[in-house]
Amino acid sequence: MPIRAVLWDIDDTIFDYTGADRVGMRRHLENEGLPDGYASTEGALDAWRAITDVQWERFAAGETDFQGQRRERVRTFLGRPLTDAEADHWFARHAGHYEAAWSLFPDAVPALDRLADGYRHAVLSNSSIINQDRKLRVLGVRDRFEAVVCAVELGISKPEAGAFHAAVEALGLEPQEVVYVGDHPDIDAAGAVAAGLSGIWLDRDGRGGRPELARITGLDQLPGLLARNTRFGAPDTFG
């Protein structure tokens, strides 16, 4: 069964989340001051990312809700107890700087352009529709996608098969007709394969080490991979 649609991750796939988050937090700390316990801004930025990863894993596992993971990121990073309102206000100040740094990866729009005629397109994200729909509109690409499906509203998240199936159902297709593209080898590519879709790992850092997964190192390679593979029985890797 040929691939008829591309299902996309957003953060660190088409949108440079890591870059925007790091730039935004750096600017935020310039205004707020370096919290106690950090010897340098670079150390604080690394800690923020590590804390974010942990809290997103808790959210994906259903251990906390979307707002809860934000609050715990702030409390852990600052190393002190905060009320919900205090944590929300601190995060909101950070978010202003973060959103000012939003940008797509340079290869995102060219890839979407090259795939526009041959495939349908939708999004599956482990975030919320409020955040991701607005993000796509601000970045000027919301109209590229027929549907935007998000974990907060679904009540389940990647890599659970039900999350992938909900996005496939939104397109009115079968899992075998859809390929998922994302930056995380387990949550995105392997999760998609386990759910019956094709999966492609966008390995921008060139880490490799997962020979069982179809892998690309940039979205410029995606059209060629799709043209040569229908179900990716033999993973085609680049880089």
Side-chain angles (χ1 to χ4, degrees):
M1 190 174 291
I3 299 296
R4 297 178 59 190
V6 181
L7 189 58
W8 298 81
D9 177 49
I10 297 179
D11 294 340
D12 283 330
T13 296
I14 63 172
F15 163 66
D16 186 2
Y17 169 81
T18 295
D21 187 58
R22 199 167 183 92
V23 169
M25 181 55 71
R26 185 185 300 277
R27 293 172 180 167
H28 182 50
L29 294 178
E30 288 172 356
N31 288 347
E32 302 277 325
L34 193 65
D36 292 340
Y38 297 101
S40 68
T41 298
E42 291 304 313
L45 294 175
D46 291 343
W48 174 253
R49 180 54 194 256
I51 291 165
T52 296
D53 289 345
V54 169
Q55 293 302 324
W56 270 108
E57 289 177 4
R58 292 185 64 237
F59 167 68
E63 296 173 9
T64 184
D65 60 17
F66 186 74
Q67 196 65 21
Q69 61 82 23
R70 283 185 164 184
R71 291 165 178 162
E72 288 308 306
R73 285 158 66 188
V74 175
R75 291 174 178 131
T76 304
F77 181 68
L78 296 181
R80 65 176 188 265
L82 297 171
T83 66
D84 287 351
E86 288 171 336
D88 291 345
H89 290 155
W90 192 96
F91 193 95
R93 295 194 298 275
H94 154 63
H97 298 290
Y98 157 66
E99 292 181 10
W102 281 0
S103 67
L104 295 169
F105 283 106
D107 57 5
V109 169
L112 287 166
D113 285 343
R114 289 177 62 189
L115 296 170
D117 292 335
Y119 303 90
R120 297 167 62 190
H121 299 270
V123 162
L124 173 62
S125 169
N126 269 5
S127 184
S128 73
I129 189 66
I130 294 173
N131 282 343
Q132 301 298 56
D133 185 83
R134 176 172 171 269
K135 184 185 293 176
L136 293 172
R137 292 182 189 279
V138 169
L139 294 170
V141 292
R142 175 61 184 86
D143 61 348
R144 303 290 189 119
F145 305 103
E146 293 182 34
V148 177
V149 179
C150 293
V152 170
E153 288 72 30
L154 282 178
I156 52 174
S157 58
K158 301 176 296 182
E160 291 189 51
F164 292 100
H165 293 164
V168 169
E169 289 170 8
L171 288 166
L173 297 175
E174 296 297 323
Q176 298 89 340
E177 297 176 288
V178 181
V179 61
Y180 190 81
V181 181
D183 68 290
H184 197 288
D186 294 314
I187 293 173
D188 294 328
V193 171
L197 292 73
S198 294
I200 298 175
W201 173 27
L202 176 59
D203 180 18
R204 289 192 180 276
D205 295 330
R207 290 173 288 166
R210 299 294 298 273
E212 78 278 14
L213 298 177
R215 180 176 69 93
I216 56 177
T217 57
L219 292 178
D220 58 312
Q221 299 160 357
L222 181 59
L225 181 57
L226 289 175
R228 292 193 298 276
N229 293 268
T230 53
R231 291 293 297 159
F232 307 103
D236 194 350
T237 59
F238 297 83

